[in-house]
Amino acid sequence: MPKANVFDMAGKQVGEIDLSEAIFGIEPNVSVMHDVVKNHLANCRQGTQSALTRAEVSGGGRKPWRQKGTGRARQGSTRSPQWTHGGIVFAPKPRSYRYTLNKKVRRLALKSALSAKAAEGKVLVVDGLGMDEIKTKTFQGFLNTLGSKKALVVTACPNVVKSARNIPGIVTTPATLINVYDILNANEFIVDKAALAQIEEVFA
């Protein structure tokens, strides 16, 4: 049975908690995690790159020189791809890079990522993760006590979210929106005890 240390808001360890075997105790599937991360990054692409083909570059309507007799290679336009200021061959155009993966694949990847973090001892549970006021310095002190510099913080507390938004390397998310990329990209998975129960309820 995988376990995780439980901390209070002072950063002091107050106990241990058993994690769900079905979510935090499976054998991580590296191939599936790779597929889901690749899908996430592809879906994040804007796809707005664009260049001009020879049909779209202005100019080049006149034949530069006559076809024969000059000793030079025949040319029909100064906007052909081999010319400076010419068009681009197979120019990229705006398009969507989005594609979907099966729900079972995404869920297996999420469980694999959480299990990998649990196996490394990087799942930190906080009993009552919350703040009475928006204070970046206070939350930074809490992270320093835990020794976290690059972490995914799972909480629904608005004050925590706003306190952490200016701290480099810290990403916050509610339990319903956790994703494989954020989990693997972070060094620690810091989760509120209530959010942990919600994760185990939804994904078990």
Side-chain angles (χ1 to χ4, degrees):
M1 177 72 73
K3 296 180 180 292
N5 294 328
V6 181
F7 299 85
D8 58 16
M9 280 305 292
K12 186 170 67 174
Q13 185 175 342
V14 294
E16 277 189 344
I17 189 172
D18 291 331
L19 301 174
S20 171
E21 185 80 34
I23 300 175
F24 294 91
I26 70 169
E27 180 69 29
N29 190 319
V30 177
S31 176
V32 168
M33 286 192 291
H34 173 265
D35 289 342
V36 172
V37 168
K38 190 169 66 171
N39 171 249
H40 174 83
L41 294 176
N43 292 348
C44 286
R45 293 185 68 171
Q46 288 185 315
T48 55
Q49 77 281 34
S50 183
L52 301 181
T53 64
R54 62 176 295 173
E56 296 166 319
V57 179
S58 64
R62 182 174 64 87
K63 188 173 175 65
W65 50 78
R66 60 197 177 94
Q67 180 83 346
K68 301 175 74 65
T70 64
R72 289 184 287 184
R74 55 194 176 190
Q75 300 291 335
S77 171
T78 56
R79 295 300 179 259
S80 297
Q82 73 270 20
W83 284 70
T84 303
H85 307 302
I88 302 298
V89 183
F90 307 127
K93 292 297 178 185
R95 71 181 183 91
S96 173
Y97 288 87
R98 179 170 293 275
Y99 66 97
T100 58
L101 292 176
N102 293 336
K103 185 176 180 180
K104 287 183 177 180
V105 171
R106 299 198 308 268
R107 183 157 289 195
L108 175 60
L110 186 65
K111 291 179 180 179
S112 296
L114 291 173
S115 296
K117 283 289 181 239
E120 296 170 0
K122 298 295 186 179
V123 177
L124 311 178
V125 181
V126 181
D127 192 4
L129 179 56
M131 296 175 65
D132 296 328
E133 59 178 347
I134 302 169
K135 197 74 175 175
T136 301
K137 186 176 180 180
T138 303
F139 193 69
Q140 181 68 72
F142 166 71
L143 294 173
N144 291 342
T145 306
L146 294 180
S148 299
K149 292 184 178 179
K150 189 177 183 182
L152 175 64
V153 181
V154 183
T155 179
C157 177
N159 286 350
V160 172
V161 173
K162 291 179 180 179
S163 297
R165 63 187 171 186
N166 281 339
I167 303 176
I170 303 300
V171 177
T172 59
T173 181
T176 53
L177 296 179
I178 58 175
N179 65 75
V180 176
Y181 176 79
D182 286 339
I183 295 171
L184 295 178
N185 193 44
N187 291 336
E188 290 87 21
F189 183 75
I190 302 174
V191 58
D192 182 33
K193 201 170 185 179
L196 177 64
Q198 190 177 0
I199 291 171
E200 293 182 341
E201 180 184 352
V202 171
F203 296 106

